[in-house]
Amino acid sequence: MSKFIATAVLLFLSAFHLIGQNSLMVNAYNRASISLNGDWKYIVDPYENGFYNYRYQPFENQDNPGKGAFFTNAKRADKADLVEYDFDKMEDLKIPGDWNSQEEKLFYYEGTVWLKKSFEYKRTAKGKRVFLYFGAANYRSDVYFNGKKLGAHVGGFTPFQYEVTDHLKVGSNFVVVKVDNKRIKHEVPTLNTDWWNYGGITRDVKLIETSETFISDYVVQLDSNKLINIKVQLDGPELAKQAVTIDIPALNISKSIVTNASGKGMLSISSENIAYWSPDSPKLYQVKLSTSQDEIEDQIGFRTIDTNGPDILLNGKSIFLKGISIHEESPITKGRCNSKDDAKQLLKWVKSLGCNYVRLAHYPHNEHMIRLADEMGILVWEEIPVYWTIAWENEETYINAENQISEVITRDQNRASVIIWSMANETPTSEARNHFLGKLAKFTKDKDPTRLISAALEQHNFQGNKNVRTIDDPFAKIADVLSFNQYIGWYDGNIEKCQTIQWNIQENKPVIVSEFGAGAKFGLHGDKDERWTEEYQEYLYQETLKMIDQIDQLRGVSPWILVDFRSPRRVLPEIQDNYNRKGLISENGEKKKAFFVLKKYYDAKVWPK
Ligand code: GCU
């Protein structure tokens, strides 16, 4: 490739922040690793003085970045030397963890923070290749290893990795990450959201050692013909004619695939006595994939998900999704969730509500949530933050959204609990928006044809009749499942209005009411027509559930929202104080009266009718 073309390709990739990243390895979660979690030194850098020189030119583009660049972790050579920073004299942040909830002075901070981790490394016998893996960092990350730029990642809620085999030294090493959570109009999400913009390395960081040639990607899934379809992909110098063995001991399966020249292999296996995964019986099978050099284990549930007219079919049977929406905010740290304990607390509340389903809003949550949902038998809707007024005309914005859905599919493609990929939330219809979502849906279906596509769609009066509502969104033609948010009784009239509204949905497809709700301050009591009281929220739930139960195609509900959550939009003193109060549970774990209305509705729900 000529130097000119090579430069052009690099410019294209770096423009879209894709440079340097390796394609994500599947099941990093179960790979042997060296954790880099713990104390990281940090420098707050609002002017990005550690990245740009005084002419606003990036240090990294200069042959000799000098000692002004923070990513070199420079030290004074002698007493005459000028170095205007010193990571090792700075304070620590706990990683994984956002900075807003760890440091009072960073509560509202949106900008660049530099994070540095030094560590000792000794090569193990197995480790022929080494990867630096991040569960997520919000929002833009520039990653440097022993002073060398590995690459940049955009997107605050999906994993990314870099191969560091050639940069790693036996002995002392250091990683420097520039994390910038400034909100920017053409990003995903865009400038305006209704959640706290927690910045930082918000999920686990680890070094993963692999063999020279390893199993980088695989799918092991049941298809609608009840066949277990297996696809594997190797990464490394020896791709062709490699034997990959799949063992599922509990099904007495042990089969081998031989890879083709590009290291790909496929196989379909039938098995009579599979115990299908479901909320009532979340059976997970131990699955091992191995080659002469590599071995990886996973816990996989086998189930099918499909639609037939208005029905959602799990293992061929119609189901009703008794759900709740959740933001990724920790009831323990009051910041971004990142631990198994966070996931356990949230999903324990979900189970106590009588749910079999969660809508993980409005971005991919951490992997602990998905793996615990697999274990507990909770169905999952996952979405990327294509939220409200996205820059639909901007090509970089589309590539960003596509990259985020691609990363979360790669991470969760073997998780039985995940049944729906959502393309968007409450996005105003336009030619550009319809094209963007249509393209994104096609990409998603091509990458994962086994799951359902949805989005929180637009709904308006039916043919101008103010007492009849319908979903009048072009994306309804593409979605497998129609979902919409509605706030009659909160943003739209009073609660009695629920008694006058009919829903007339034209498509013969399953319908999920993906949001409804009302704000209530825990412990504030009064008349049921007094806003912010628990009684108001309770009454709205009672009336809304009666209204939506009349929708013939209704197959699921995920009210807004499980727990009160932080939002800079919510500033009403003594009531909101930077919290969105639509939770059924307060941020301190206190259950409001409406919690019990929804629980009673789910406990009484007989399905099929
Ligand atoms: C919208 C939006 C949520 C928001 C909620 C609210 O429907 O999807 O993200 O928090 O309404 O206004 O509380």
Side-chain angles (χ1 to χ4, degrees):
M1 186 186 287
S2 77
K3 190 163 169 48
F4 169 75
I5 295 173
T7 311
V9 167
L10 283 175
L11 282 174
F12 172 83
L13 289 174
S14 59
F16 295 134
H17 305 294
L18 301 180
I19 189 166
Q21 264 170 261
N22 299 95
S23 58
L24 265 179
M25 68 175 74
V26 162
N27 195 6
Y29 196 86
N30 283 331
R31 283 238 173 238
S33 63
I34 299 161
S35 173
L36 295 183
N37 291 350
D39 289 339
W40 287 49
K41 294 295 181 186
Y42 76 96
I43 300 173
V44 182
D45 186 10
Y47 288 22
E48 299 183 308
N49 174 52
F51 187 79
Y52 298 102
N53 65 18
Y54 77 119
R55 297 294 191 220
Y56 212 65
Q57 296 155 329
F59 286 117
E60 64 184 35
N61 292 353
Q62 291 160 18
D63 292 341
N64 172 11
K67 295 192 171 180
F70 288 3
F71 53 81
T72 60
N73 187 27
K75 298 295 173 201
R76 277 177 66 184
D78 55 45
K79 63 183 180 182
D81 204 5
L82 174 63
V83 179
E84 295 185 79
Y85 72 95
D86 184 343
F87 270 115
D88 294 324
K89 292 191 175 139
M90 304 304 286
E91 294 172 349
D92 293 324
L93 277 177
K94 284 269 175 274
I95 300 303
D98 64 271
W99 59 66
N100 311 77
S101 63
Q102 288 192 64
E103 287 292 338
E104 183 59 36
K105 61 179 183 278
L106 298 176
F107 184 60
Y108 283 103
Y109 182 69
E110 294 181 297
T112 283
V113 172
W114 294 83
L115 291 141
K116 190 272 293 185
K117 181 74 175 177
S118 297
F119 64 95
E120 296 300 311
Y121 177 73
K122 54 183 184 308
R123 195 176 292 283
T124 62
K126 179 169 171 59
K128 295 281 185 303
R129 297 172 67 186
V130 188
F131 294 84
L132 177 61
Y133 180 92
F134 294 83
N138 187 44
Y139 171 80
R140 272 174 302 280
S141 308
D142 287 89
V143 184
Y144 307 83
F145 197 91
N146 292 335
K148 291 277 177 302
K149 177 78 178 258
L150 295 180
H153 180 267
V154 165
F157 306 95
T158 49
F160 53 101
Q161 75 188 39
Y162 301 98
E163 182 159 7
V164 294
T165 311
D166 300 336
H167 303 290
L168 196 56
K169 294 182 292 191
V170 174
S172 303
N173 298 269
F174 64 92
V175 181
V176 173
V177 184
K178 173 186 180 289
V179 183
D180 178 2
N181 74 333
K182 273 193 297 300
R183 287 167 294 113
I184 293 179
K185 183 161 180 46
H186 68 262
E187 293 293 346
V188 180
T190 180
L191 279 170
N192 57 332
T193 70
D194 188 20
W195 66 79
W196 206 267
N197 179 29
Y198 291 108
I201 302 177
T202 48
R203 295 179 193 160
D204 295 335
V205 187
K206 51 191 174 183
L207 286 172
I208 296 173
E209 295 178 331
T210 70
S211 44
E212 198 101 42
T213 298
F214 69 99
I215 302 166
S216 60
D217 191 355
Y218 63 84
V219 175
V220 180
Q221 271 181 338
L222 195 68
D223 67 15
S224 42
N225 303 316
K226 301 287 194 268
L227 283 176
I228 298 176
N229 289 331
I230 296 157
K231 289 180 205 146
V232 293
Q233 174 65 60
L234 302 183
D235 179 316
E238 296 164 77
L239 297 177
K241 297 194 180 61
Q242 300 298 310
V244 184
T245 302
I246 293 92
D247 290 299
I248 312 177
L251 294 176
N252 295 317
I253 289 175
S254 181
K255 295 268 185 185
S256 279
I257 308 174
V258 177
T259 56
N260 65 14
S262 58
K264 248 190 234 321
M266 295 172 76
L267 179 68
S268 287
I269 307 173
S270 65
S271 173
E272 293 312 311
N273 48 356
I274 297 173
Y276 299 132
W277 185 94
S278 72
D280 298 333
S281 169
K283 169 73 178 166
L284 296 177
Y285 284 92
Q286 199 64 19
V287 177
K288 184 172 79 174
L289 297 97
S290 53
T291 66
S292 58
Q293 298 184 41
D294 187 25
E295 184 177 299
I296 180 85
E297 300 226 12
D298 209 343
Q299 298 71 39
I300 295 179
F302 296 117
R303 56 105 186 100
T304 59
I305 192 74
D306 214 333
T307 62
N308 178 23
D311 284 317
I312 297 174
L313 303 177
L314 177 69
N315 303 322
K317 294 199 189 84
S318 174
I319 51 164
F320 189 90
L321 302 175
K322 303 183 283 186
I324 189 75
S325 293
I326 302 181
H327 257 306
E328 191 185 41
E329 196 164 84
S330 167
I332 303 163
T333 66
K334 303 290 186 283
R336 270 281 166 256
C337 297
N338 57 58
S339 68
K340 275 186 188 165
D341 288 344
D342 288 330
K344 282 178 186 160
Q345 180 56 76
L346 290 173
L347 295 185
K348 191 170 147 216
W349 280 331
V350 165
K351 277 288 191 186
S352 71
L353 191 49
C355 298
N356 63 2
Y357 163 70
V358 288
R359 174 184 180 225
L360 299 186
H362 283 294
Y363 37 74
H365 289 211
N366 66 83
E367 193 169 358
H368 298 304
M369 279 293 272
I370 312 299
R371 289 201 175 248
L372 192 55
D374 263 18
E375 292 170 27
M376 294 174 71
I378 297 171
L379 295 155
V380 174
W381 153 311
E382 286 205 83
E383 68 185 65
I384 55 171
V386 174
Y387 181 96
W388 289 356
T389 52
I390 291 285
W392 307 111
E393 321 259 356
N394 183 308
E395 181 56 16
E396 188 177 339
T397 307
Y398 174 76
I399 288 182
N400 182 343
E402 189 176 280
N403 193 49
Q404 291 190 39
I405 193 74
S406 178
E407 288 174 344
V408 66
I409 291 174
T410 299
R411 188 192 73 180
D412 295 341
Q413 61 196 17
N414 291 305
R415 305 280 72 80
S417 53
V418 180
I419 56 168
I420 294 172
W421 300 118
S422 171
M423 301 293 101
N425 180 71
E426 291 188 356
T427 52
T429 50
S430 70
E431 197 53 44
R433 171 267 200 185
N434 299 342
H435 176 72
F436 186 107
L437 295 190
K439 203 170 156 191
L440 193 60
K442 182 180 181 321
F443 173 85
T444 303
K445 272 288 186 200
D446 290 348
K447 187 171 170 73
D448 179 8
T450 69
R451 291 179 172 88
L452 307 176
I453 296 268
S454 190
L457 303 171
E458 296 292 277
Q459 45 91 7
H460 295 107
N461 292 340
F462 179 69
Q463 294 174 353
N465 180 339
K466 65 181 177 42
N467 291 326
V468 183
R469 293 289 172 84
T470 190
I471 295 176
D472 56 351
D473 187 321
F475 194 71
K477 297 277 177 286
I478 297 172
D480 298 306
V481 175
L482 308 185
S483 305
F484 65 91
N485 306 340
Q486 67 79 30
Y487 281 92
I488 294 169
W490 186 256
Y491 296 119
D492 174 357
N494 62 22
I495 297 175
E496 281 73 21
K497 186 171 179 179
C498 292
Q499 297 158 11
T500 66
I501 294 290
Q502 302 291 321
W503 289 88
N504 177 351
I505 292 165
Q506 305 287 298
E507 275 76 21
N508 184 26
K509 290 183 178 178
V511 169
I512 295 176
V513 176
S514 35
E515 287 183 35
F516 73 80
K521 171 89 169 156
F522 175 78
L524 181 63
H525 296 286
D527 294 337
K528 64 184 183 180
D529 62 351
E530 184 184 348
R531 283 218 192 232
W532 306 113
T533 62
E534 289 194 45
E535 284 71 22
Y536 189 103
Q537 188 188 46
E538 176 187 47
Y539 180 42
L540 181 133
Y541 267 70
Q542 288 162 344
E543 292 306 308
T544 302
L545 291 168
K546 277 189 245 169
M547 170 183 70
I548 63 175
D549 254 350
Q550 293 165 42
I551 300 173
D552 293 338
Q553 305 95 317
L554 187 72
R555 296 295 182 272
V557 194
S558 49
W560 194 256
I561 186 168
L562 181 67
V563 190
D564 290 350
F565 63 95
R566 275 209 185 98
S567 166
R569 305 171 77 88
R570 310 298 175 173
V571 294
L572 180 61
E574 297 161 17
I575 296 287
Q576 293 179 319
D577 299 319
N578 275 155
Y579 273 91
N580 181 314
R581 291 289 177 204
K582 297 190 183 70
L584 293 176
I585 301 173
S586 77
E587 72 278 18
N588 300 314
E590 302 140 321
K591 292 175 181 166
K592 306 173 192 175
K593 292 174 82 170
F595 177 98
F596 302 98
V597 172
L598 187 62
K599 176 170 175 48
K600 185 173 168 221
Y601 172 77
Y602 284 157
D603 289 350
K605 176 63 74 176
V606 174
W607 198 265
K609 281 179 183 165

